[in-house]
Amino acid sequence: MVTGWHRPTWIEIDRAAIRENIKNEQKQLPENVALWAVVKANAYGHGIIEVAKTAKEAGAKGFCVAILDEALALREAGFQDDFILVLGATKKEDANLAAKNQIALTVFREDWLDDLVLEAPLRIHLKVDSGMGRLGIRSTEEAGRIETKIARNKELELEGIYTHFATADQLETSYFEQQLANFTAILTSLATRPAIVHTANSAASLLQPQIGFDAIRFGISMYGLTPSPEIKTSLPFELKPALALYTEMVHVKELAPGDSVSYGATYTATEREWVATLPIGYADGLIRHYSGFHVLVDGQLAPIIGRVCMDQTIIKLPHEFQTGSKVTIIGVDHGNTITADDAAEYLDTINYEVTCLLTERIPRKYIH
Ligand SMILES: *Cc1c(COP(=O)(O)O)cnc(C)c1O
């Protein structure tokens, strides 16, 4: 994708916030539990390579990604010896590519292991479906057969076993506890306990630090965001959001009563009012549902009026502004804040989606 370096719309990533979130989380963890930085999906929109560097500086002991290509991107960027685990499904045809690059893969089907001819050792993490219903084995019998198959192939090492919780971000814990019990039953049925047992995402690691096992997969909260609004006030430390989204007014004008703006002419001025056009739109991830939400100008709320276009958006100003004035879409401006949580609430989605949606057309600038 082409990045808009010559357009005044940018994302600022505060590396210090990422380091602080990691350090605060490490203080909660028993010393022998490793923190892995989850950097899938371009690090939840924050930029995979720079986030990986920052996380490593702060003490992350490895990385989790969703797809093999993300793991290869880390290797290419110079993360030569770091632990990398692919959490999603990888095609059997690509097993050798992973093996040659020392990338650990998730396995959750017996047949994936049949007729696997490897040219290099491959580390495997067995995924258990303890209740998420997504990927994973579901019985002790399957676990036993997979353990046997892995033992028969001298290039395969069962390095890890893990599961993923469906409700760790809820205060009610009965489903979580059932999942933990299901997972433990499969874990203890194995002839040999793999070296790395891991279960916790951000929510579980923050609320249930005792179930860290050997490693945690720390994603959303590394970026300073709460795993859910419900647990925001139960978190053990204050999270520092790392991402801010800014743009500048490229055109400012005064509307007369009856003047309309944008496609469909859905907004019409009822009095004389100042408006500004912003060089950001749904192709950048500022989706059309942002229409009616607001941004910050000089610390004041300015509503998004009319329909958000592909590359441009129009806001209503409290008074005349100079062309080139800064606009905060997510972030802090003169003591007022718009968070990814605020945007998520308005859009009826989750903060994860708000940052993941921000496309690579917006340049990322790294501070601190
Ligand atoms: C994305 C993901 C995580 C990270 O979850 P957060 O809620 O962002 O901490 C952990 N484990 C798996 C399997 C995932 O897919």
Side-chain angles (χ1 to χ4, degrees):
M1 192 176 237
V2 176
T3 300
W5 295 106
H6 298 91
R7 172 183 72 160
T9 293
W10 69 102
I11 286 170
E12 199 171 87
I13 302 294
D14 182 352
R15 288 194 191 93
I18 293 175
R19 286 193 295 264
E20 194 178 322
N21 296 323
I22 290 176
K23 295 232 152 88
N24 281 330
E25 173 58 15
Q26 281 166 329
K27 284 185 210 145
Q28 312 290 314
L29 291 175
E31 231 175 86
N32 53 344
V33 180
L35 182 150
W36 292 336
V38 182
V39 294
K40 61 192 178 186
N42 199 28
Y44 297 37
H46 293 63
I48 181 169
I49 302 305
E50 286 300 323
V51 168
K53 280 184 197 158
T54 306
K56 189 174 170 176
E57 274 165 32
K61 294 285 187 294
F63 305 107
C64 296
V65 293
I67 63 175
L68 181 58
D69 303 83
E70 293 169 338
L72 293 169
L74 287 172
R75 284 281 182 258
E76 265 165 45
F79 295 92
Q80 288 305 330
D81 306 316
D82 301 87
F83 172 86
I84 306 176
L85 170 63
V86 178
L87 299 169
T90 304
K91 282 192 292 182
K92 196 158 135 173
E93 297 91 295
D94 292 327
N96 272 305
L97 185 57
K100 282 177 200 158
N101 286 282
Q102 289 108 44
I103 293 163
L105 293 184
T106 293
V107 168
F108 52 92
R109 288 172 63 98
E110 276 180 75
D111 60 2
W112 197 91
L113 296 163
D114 297 333
D115 313 312
L116 193 62
V117 182
L118 290 165
E119 294 150 31
L122 177 65
R123 287 173 295 136
I124 280 176
H125 287 233
L126 178 60
K127 179 83 183 276
V128 175
D129 175 11
S130 59
M132 179 70 182
R134 202 166 60 174
L135 300 179
I137 60 155
R138 297 161 72 103
S139 71
T140 53
E141 292 77 19
E142 258 181 302
R145 288 195 298 270
I146 285 180
E147 201 179 16
T148 308
K149 280 188 184 176
I150 290 174
R152 278 199 212 120
N153 187 332
K154 67 174 186 1
E155 297 291 12
L156 286 177
E157 181 198 345
L158 183 55
E159 179 185 54
I161 182 168
Y162 76 105
T163 196
H164 191 50
F165 295 115
T167 64
D169 64 346
Q170 296 173 15
L171 293 171
E172 211 290 304
T173 58
S174 54
Y175 197 84
F176 167 84
E177 277 152 25
Q178 186 56 55
Q179 278 200 260
L180 187 58
N182 294 347
F183 174 70
T184 308
I186 290 186
L187 172 64
T188 52
S189 77
L190 292 179
T192 313
R193 182 196 190 274
I196 313 175
V197 178
H198 50 109
T199 62
N201 56 2
S202 295
S205 69
L206 289 162
L207 298 185
Q208 317 277 348
Q210 78 285 1
I211 58 111
F213 291 99
D214 303 308
I216 64 160
R217 307 184 301 270
F218 201 51
I220 193 75
S221 297
M222 173 171 70
Y223 305 101
L225 299 176
T226 183
S228 71
E230 181 177 333
I231 64 168
K232 195 162 186 172
T233 53
S234 309
L235 299 175
F237 56 89
E238 196 194 333
L239 296 169
K240 290 269 162 69
L243 180 143
L245 172 60
Y246 302 111
T247 188
E248 285 178 10
M249 302 175 200
V250 290
H251 189 43
V252 177
K253 62 177 170 287
E254 193 178 31
L255 300 181
D259 289 349
S260 295
V261 300
S262 197
Y263 289 117
T266 58
Y267 180 85
T268 304
T270 54
E271 53 190 355
R272 294 199 76 81
E273 63 187 54
W274 288 95
V275 299
T277 304
L278 310 179
I280 181 171
Y282 61 77
D284 300 291
L286 195 80
I287 60 172
R288 288 170 89 247
H289 281 108
Y290 273 95
S291 179
F293 193 50
H294 47 252
V295 299
L296 289 169
V297 294
D298 260 354
Q300 299 177 68
L301 293 184
I304 296 173
I305 57 174
R307 290 191 186 144
V308 172
C309 308
M310 187 185 290
D311 317 299
Q312 300 178 73
T313 297
I314 300 163
I315 59 170
K316 178 178 172 172
L317 299 172
H319 53 78
E320 185 178 6
F321 273 77
Q322 295 232 302
T323 301
S325 301
K326 189 174 174 181
V327 175
T328 302
I329 301 173
I330 295 172
V332 186
D333 179 19
H334 293 82
N336 277 327
T337 308
I338 298 174
T339 62
D341 289 335
D342 297 332
E345 191 186 348
Y346 183 79
L347 299 170
D348 196 17
T349 182
I350 53 175
N351 52 21
Y352 294 71
E353 200 175 31
V354 168
T355 64
C356 280
L357 278 174
L358 301 173
T359 66
E360 289 183 49
R361 193 164 79 168
I362 310 176
R364 272 74 175 160
K365 297 182 183 171
Y366 295 88
I367 60 167
H368 301 138

